[in-house]
Amino acid sequence: MSAIILLILGLAAMAAGYFLYSKFIAEKIYRLDPDYETPAHEFEDGIDYVPTNRYVLWGHHFTSVAGAAPIVGPAIAVIWGWLPAFLWVIFGTIFFAGIHDAGAIWASVRNKARSVGSLTGDVVGKRARSLFMIVIFLVLLMVNAVFAVVIASLMMDFSSAVVPVWGAILVALVIGQMIYRRKMSLPMVSIVGVVALYALIIIGPSVPLQMPEQVGGMAGNAVWILLLFGYAAIASLLPVWMLLQPRDYINGLQLFIGLIVLYGAILLLNPALVAPMINNDVPAGTPPIFPLLFVTIACGAISGFHGLVASGTTSKQLNKESDVRFVGYFGAVGEGMLALAAILAATAGFATFADWNAMYTAFGAGGVTAFVEGGAYMIHHGLGLPEATAATLLTVMAALFAGTTMDTGLRLQRYIFQEWGEIYGQQWMKKPAMATLLAVGSCLLLAFGAGGPDGSGGMIIWPLFGTTNQLLAGLTLLVVTVMLVRLRRPMWFTLVPLCFLLVMTIGALLLQLRSFYDQGNYFLLILDIVVLVAAIMVALECAQALRRARTEMGEQRSQT
């Protein structure tokens, strides 16, 4: 089958989702009000609360939630065949991710930009809030610790990406000054930023910077991880307009250009999908497609991490409530487009089925490597770009998105410690610098305490990321659903995705429980049990909160 057919079908479906379904959700369900005073205006402080142009905010939100996960998950999941991955990405984007991301922003904006974890106490109950905060902390811990390993590994393996990855920070600082200090027009700033970023990508292969295998007794990989956390700590304390916003905005433009290049190569090359539509001959040890598909592909279909970004940083920068549709739903569409590109690169970016089969020898194979190599193959043969340059472009794309997610993730982890300080009356935890130290310290403790001197400890608990992340998405949808019930609005558009996620998450946790037991991995076994208990409690809290909300609504009707 031609990859062009899959590309056109996927893009057409997501376009219809944005122009038709999201319009219905925005007008009839969330009922977005352009005149509502958002927290960005109510609490404007120039640091965290900053009214922001919706295109710039879209760039921040989209690149913060994208990261490497919408590349890794789909590029692993195609081991079951390209059709299941394609269907879940398309329908998950339209009916799950879009309404989840927009709903999280809307819920937070309507509650003074509080995170979904914090406002759960008011909407659902204190027990649910405690549960939510623990799950949030685990997800952020996994994301920050693992993405540091991913970026460090990319820079160790692709030295040509080092200059573009770190140079992008300087570009973002300049862009921030141009937008907010010089008040330059956004189109001009966009052109300058994109040209500078791609100039760095072109220069990268000419000035490769290779970290030595050992530096002062430390592994080179570990040195990169320490440098990344040092940078992320500083970035999390800077005003969002200075680095976070412009870095994410430019990366958003860079992604769309990268997608245009990749999609253009597909249109010109017209490669065939060499991977099977349904793979009935998966490698030994591959888990069953149901329910593992729905937790392997999280980002790119629906992801709980999106709710953290939406209610953690995005809601504090929303200029108008009506921008929720563009920033939240279209942000999910952008990530769906990236996941679609990952599927095409990992299934049509190989010359033969034998080449594809050699890559996918075990579950977990593929990932970023399949995306970079497959995408570079198509760009080289479709557009004539040197394969090394194409590989650098795609590597930088993956590394920059992982970096922006890490930036936002550490800032969100700082917010969590500050909210804990607020909840439990610990004034010292509410200070930004102290909360940042706690956030960085917990990540480094996992990275080096559990993983040893190479700092790869985050990878130990990564197998539970998918299930924990989807549980978090279910919690976010629970908050939104209860709010809709209390406002006497249709709840089925969020309740159905919520129930689906809970069933798939609990099923995946039970399967992983058996797998961890057979492997003798008792650390993950215990952690799996903790998350499983949390998932069951979420299901019970869900039923109780909805029943309570419907009872309250019935009493209000009887009184009127």
Side-chain angles (χ1 to χ4, degrees), residues 38 94 215 277 333 477 499 521 544:
T38 64
I94 296 170
V215 180
M277 183 170 68
V333 169
L477 286 171
C499 294
N521 193 332
Q544 184 178 0

Side-chain angles (χ1 to χ4, degrees), residues 47-257:
I47 299 176
D48 294 319
Y49 295 86
V50 180
T52 305
N53 177 288
R54 70 174 188 156
Y55 297 103
V56 176
L57 184 57
W58 174 85
H60 156 70
H61 177 79
F62 164 56
T63 54
S64 293
V65 301
I71 295 173
V72 175
I76 289 175
V78 295
I79 198 169
W80 289 301
W82 58 259
L83 182 61
F86 174 77
L87 292 176
W88 175 228
V89 163
I90 299 306
F91 289 108
T93 295
I94 296 170
F95 297 109
F96 287 70
I99 195 168
H100 169 274
D101 293 15
I105 301 174
W106 168 75
S108 179
V109 166
R110 287 285 169 162
N111 288 274
K112 301 185 181 300
R114 292 163 62 193
S115 73
V116 285
S118 176
L119 64 89
T120 302
D122 296 338
V123 176
V124 183
K126 291 184 178 179
R127 185 169 52 195
R129 181 187 66 188
S130 299
L131 178 67
F132 208 146
M133 299 293 268
I134 292 171
V135 174
I136 288 173
F137 182 77
L138 282 174
V139 169
L140 289 174
L141 196 62
M142 293 178 193
V143 167
N144 292 333
V146 170
F147 276 22
V149 175
V150 170
I151 301 168
S153 298
L154 285 172
M155 289 192 290
M156 288 293 291
D157 295 340
F158 299 93
S159 57
S160 61
V162 174
V163 168
V165 168
W166 289 96
I169 298 171
L170 296 177
V171 173
L173 289 169
V174 173
I175 293 301
Q177 296 295 319
M178 293 171 69
I179 294 175
Y180 288 98
R181 295 296 190 194
R182 301 296 181 184
K183 306 295 183 182
M184 295 178 63
S185 68
L186 193 58
M188 177 58 69
V189 170
S190 303
I191 293 171
V192 171
V194 168
V195 168
L197 195 58
Y198 276 92
L200 289 170
I201 292 174
I202 294 171
I203 292 171
S206 302
V207 285
L209 296 179
Q210 184 66 55
M211 178 73 73
E213 291 295 327
Q214 293 287 325
V215 180
M218 291 185 66
N221 198 67
V223 174
W224 277 131
I225 291 172
L226 288 175
L227 289 173
L228 286 165
F229 273 113
Y231 154 73
I234 296 170
S236 73
L237 291 170
L238 291 175
V240 290
W241 65 265
M242 188 176 291
L243 178 58
L244 192 67
Q245 274 186 8
R247 176 169 158 83
D248 291 350
Y249 175 66
I250 293 300
N251 283 343
L253 294 177
Q254 180 252 160
L255 170 73
F256 263 93
I257 293 173

Side-chain angles (χ1 to χ4, degrees), residues 122-475:
D122 296 338
V123 176
V124 183
K126 291 184 178 179
R127 185 169 52 195
R129 181 187 66 188
S130 299
L131 178 67
F132 208 146
M133 299 293 268
I134 292 171
V135 174
I136 288 173
F137 182 77
L138 282 174
V139 169
L140 289 174
L141 196 62
M142 293 178 193
V143 167
N144 292 333
V146 170
F147 276 22
V149 175
V150 170
I151 301 168
S153 298
L154 285 172
M155 289 192 290
M156 288 293 291
D157 295 340
F158 299 93
S159 57
S160 61
V162 174
V163 168
V165 168
W166 289 96
I169 298 171
L170 296 177
V171 173
L173 289 169
V174 173
I175 293 301
Q177 296 295 319
M178 293 171 69
I179 294 175
Y180 288 98
R181 295 296 190 194
R182 301 296 181 184
K183 306 295 183 182
M184 295 178 63
S185 68
L186 193 58
M188 177 58 69
V189 170
S190 303
I191 293 171
V192 171
V194 168
V195 168
L197 195 58
Y198 276 92
L200 289 170
I201 292 174
I202 294 171
I203 292 171
S206 302
V207 285
L209 296 179
Q210 184 66 55
M211 178 73 73
E213 291 295 327
Q214 293 287 325
V215 180
M218 291 185 66
N221 198 67
V223 174
W224 277 131
I225 291 172
L226 288 175
L227 289 173
L228 286 165
F229 273 113
Y231 154 73
I234 296 170
S236 73
L237 291 170
L238 291 175
V240 290
W241 65 265
M242 188 176 291
L243 178 58
L244 192 67
Q245 274 186 8
R247 176 169 158 83
D248 291 350
Y249 175 66
I250 293 300
N251 283 343
L253 294 177
Q254 180 252 160
L255 170 73
F256 263 93
I257 293 173
L259 286 178
I260 290 171
V261 170
L262 189 55
Y263 289 160
I266 291 172
L267 292 173
L268 292 173
L269 181 62
N270 189 22
L273 298 167
V274 298
M277 183 170 68
I278 302 290
N279 190 7
N280 295 316
D281 188 26
V282 295
T286 301
I289 186 171
F290 293 102
L292 266 295
L293 171 68
F294 303 99
V295 297
T296 301
I297 301 179
C299 297
I302 181 172
S303 164
F305 181 73
H306 293 199
L308 300 185
V309 176
S311 65
T313 58
T314 304
S315 63
K316 294 177 175 63
Q317 303 169 61
L318 197 75
N319 185 39
K320 294 181 178 181
E321 190 179 63
S322 54
D323 290 344
V324 164
R325 180 189 173 204
F326 181 78
V327 174
Y329 196 100
F330 190 59
V333 169
E335 188 173 54
M337 292 170 64
L338 178 57
L340 176 61
I343 291 172
L344 293 173
T347 56
F350 297 86
T352 64
F353 171 71
D355 292 334
W356 182 86
N357 216 28
M359 172 68 73
Y360 288 89
T361 55
F363 183 72
V368 173
T369 302
F371 172 73
V372 171
E373 293 185 4
Y377 171 88
M378 291 192 294
I379 292 172
H380 172 63
H381 289 88
L383 299 177
L385 200 66
E387 200 155 357
T389 303
T392 299
L393 186 151
L394 295 176
T395 301
V396 170
M397 182 190 294
L400 287 181
F401 279 116
T404 54
T405 301
M406 187 179 168
D407 288 358
T408 303
L410 199 63
R411 185 178 288 259
L412 291 172
Q413 206 166 3
R414 187 247 289 179
Y415 290 162
I416 292 297
F417 278 109
Q418 289 179 297
E419 287 181 355
W420 275 339
E422 181 73 32
I423 293 169
Y424 300 109
Q426 301 297 315
Q427 297 299 317
W428 62 277
M429 289 179 66
K430 293 166 63 176
K431 297 178 180 178
M434 183 57 66
T436 299
L437 285 175
L438 290 172
V440 172
S442 60
C443 292
L444 291 178
L445 184 63
L446 173 63
F448 290 93
D454 66 348
S456 62
M459 304 303 295
I460 292 175
I461 62 174
W462 185 251
L464 281 171
F465 170 74
T467 47
T468 310
N469 190 38
Q470 300 305 63
L471 174 59
L472 184 56
L475 280 164

Side-chain angles (χ1 to χ4, degrees), residues 486-499:
R486 289 180 175 175
L487 292 169
R488 301 183 183 182
R489 298 177 190 174
M491 65 175 180
W492 299 108
F493 301 95
T494 55
L495 182 61
V496 171
L498 162 61
C499 294

